[in-house]
Amino acid sequence: MSTYMVTLLADDLGPRIPAKIFGHLLEFIGRCVYDGVWVGEDSAVPNDDGLRLDTIEAFRQLQVPAVRLGGGFGEYYHWREGIGPRNQRRTTRNLFWGGYESNHFGTDEFLRWCAAIGAEPILQVNVATGSRQEALDWMEYCNASAPSELAAERSRNGHSEPYGVKYWQIGNENLILHTPEEYGREVRRFGTYMRQAEPDAKLIVRGTWNIATDFNQRLMEYLGDQLYLIDLLSLHCYTYPPPLSSPGESDTYQVVAGAELLERQVLRAAAAIHLYTAGKKQVGIIVDEYGTHHHEVAFGFPIRELPNRMEQPSFLRDAILVARVLHVFMRHADLVWMANLSTSINVLHTALKTAGPHLIRTPTYYVLDMLKEHANANSIRVISDAGTFKFGKGNEAHSLADPDLYSSGSPADADPDNGSQNALPNLDVVASATPDRRQIVVSIVNPRLDRAAETRLRLPGNAGYKPISATTLGGADPLHQNDFEQPHRISPQPIEISAGRDEWTLTCAPFSLTVLKLARAGS
């Protein structure tokens, strides 16, 4: 066991941690929506007019702040196919992910589901196969009042009051089709009229995650004299674990080191934003797709098949990656304003899995539940003597080429460090304090597989804080998961704390997330 000292400087406040970094993505792919969210009114699974109740309750517990409906399918989606009486909706091809789309889960169902879980919706307009008029009509359908005919149509479909959708994304991964300037032209074509239609809308523009390209800089330069068209720049940041055929210690470390690459991606994008917006307008970053894509479900373009219907295990190591990614977002809360785990239910990196009437919470779900305590608090400065450790033989890739590479740059142009990382912190620590300073939350990731970490938390001056809870998730095989035979195999457990005058000691298990809550007397 190693022993480390972590000092919390509670008076050194940083930016507020946005609650919306704890968001999620829904996409019409595999069983994400159908079975995961929608079961239909006649299903034996308990539901509210087709929406399954157990996933609603699970997301309510997480206090999910925002959900994005979009992804690759969104660039082939025509919203009018999904409104009106469900028995009259046309079945269409799911051109992007294969199979057919019943359109039973459409605009009204999605917005009703968001209201049920207490989340703000993010809608993605179709740039690739849609039109500006289609996007404007969708905004009007969602947000207009009488005497608009689209508002009347919405009322006939069961919702008389405007939905008030604020967040609108202009396309998805358009970098596959466009150069930065070509996509910038689409942003101008769509965004100009969307801004005119909804002056207070938050417009999301798609950037690139690839630190080896100048896409973001060229895009921002193109939009430079029309910054009213962008409120958030979107990044997609995925980690691609090595194959599971012969897993080893280094493979797990490569996965959780994905957070280091993501941090560099965020900082690179923020630099491009700052170059063209400084002193003019604040533009934030939304990482609206992140998570692991297991090698066994990797796919290429054009898509011919979807291995395993894009369903993959949800391991403990995937959850620890999410903890580290959220720590990155918290440390850069002034830059990252929103984020969405991809894709939340059943498909890819999931928080929940369903099978018939049964539901399980994955280790990732519990990480999100534990870390939500940081939401809307201010980060506080942390000093740690833990240092770092190296793993592997160097240059093991933990992230592969993104589709962004198809339009700007290539692997040959990559930063020599892009995709390789062989050092990790012995402890990854984030702390926050509520605005009234009554509560402090400390989250600690111990990424070491081989040893526990005795952690001494020091709070100079103390100011009357006492520990009120300490929980941990982990301490197991990184490839363990919760399944329908053992749904609670990995779940948060309380741990003991030794208290001193202005110091507390706790033991962080190997490969774990530990969250400690401190409160002032009388809080």
Side-chain angles (χ1 to χ4, degrees), residues 89-166:
R89 297 182 193 178
R90 188 168 72 98
T91 297
T92 56
R93 287 181 64 192
N94 186 328
L95 189 61
F96 203 79
W97 298 117
Y100 289 86
E101 169 56 47
S102 70
N103 288 300
H104 285 183
F105 185 84
T107 299
D108 294 294
E109 289 80 13
F110 171 66
L111 296 178
R112 182 161 61 88
W113 184 76
C114 286
I117 68 171
E120 192 152 12
I122 304 168
L123 290 177
Q124 171 192 311
V125 303
N126 179 347
V127 171
T129 64
S131 69
R132 286 165 286 175
Q133 188 61 58
E134 183 177 23
L136 293 172
D137 286 348
W138 202 8
M139 296 181 85
E140 185 173 345
Y141 180 86
C142 291
N143 294 345
S145 302
S148 161
E149 174 52 36
L150 284 171
E153 184 175 8
R154 183 192 65 232
S155 183
R156 291 194 296 272
N157 290 335
H159 202 279
S160 59
E161 295 300 314
Y163 285 111
V165 177
K166 183 185 347 180

Side-chain angles (χ1 to χ4, degrees), residues 482-502:
N482 295 338
D483 53 36
F484 292 98
E485 288 71 39
Q486 298 184 73
H488 307 295
R489 173 190 280 171
I490 300 172
S491 58
Q493 303 297 323
I495 60 171
E496 296 293 325
I497 308 168
S498 300
R501 181 170 168 270
D502 61 357

Side-chain angles (χ1 to χ4, degrees), residues 13 25 64 92 123 167 186 195 321 351 439 470 485:
L13 289 179
L25 167 70
V64 172
T92 56
L123 290 177
Y167 291 93
E186 295 297 331
R195 177 62 76 208
L321 169 68
Q439 180 174 287
E485 288 71 39

Side-chain angles (χ1 to χ4, degrees), residues 55-77:
T55 52
I56 288 176
E57 181 56 35
F59 277 116
R60 280 178 179 164
Q61 181 183 332
L62 281 185
Q63 300 173 19
V64 172
V67 178
R68 171 179 172 238
L69 183 69
F73 177 81
E75 289 294 74
Y76 299 90
Y77 182 61

Side-chain angles (χ1 to χ4, degrees), residues 279-335:
K280 301 175 185 177
K281 181 182 180 179
Q282 283 194 318
V283 173
I285 291 172
I286 173 173
V287 183
D288 55 6
E289 292 185 27
Y290 75 92
T292 57
H293 275 196
H294 288 196
H295 177 86
E296 287 71 18
V297 296
F299 60 92
F301 292 91
I303 299 171
R304 300 302 184 209
E305 63 177 338
L306 293 178
N308 307 323
R309 299 300 300 160
M310 300 297 278
E311 295 191 31
Q312 64 185 34
S314 189
F315 296 133
L316 173 60
R317 76 179 185 187
D318 300 326
I320 296 300
L321 169 68
V322 167
R324 299 209 61 234
V325 165
L326 288 169
H327 274 194
V328 170
F329 297 158
M330 293 178 205
R331 277 193 286 267
H332 299 290
D334 56 331
L335 305 177

Side-chain angles (χ1 to χ4, degrees), residues 381-425:
R381 189 179 174 199
V382 174
I383 299 175
S384 170
D385 67 359
T388 62
F389 70 97
K390 291 190 174 183
F391 64 89
K393 299 177 182 178
N395 298 321
E396 294 99 334
H398 65 264
S399 192
L400 303 178
D402 185 78
D404 296 359
L405 292 174
Y406 293 164
S407 64
S408 182
S410 68
D413 301 326
D415 181 313
D417 291 328
N418 185 13
S420 65
Q421 178 73 37
N422 64 349
L424 286 168

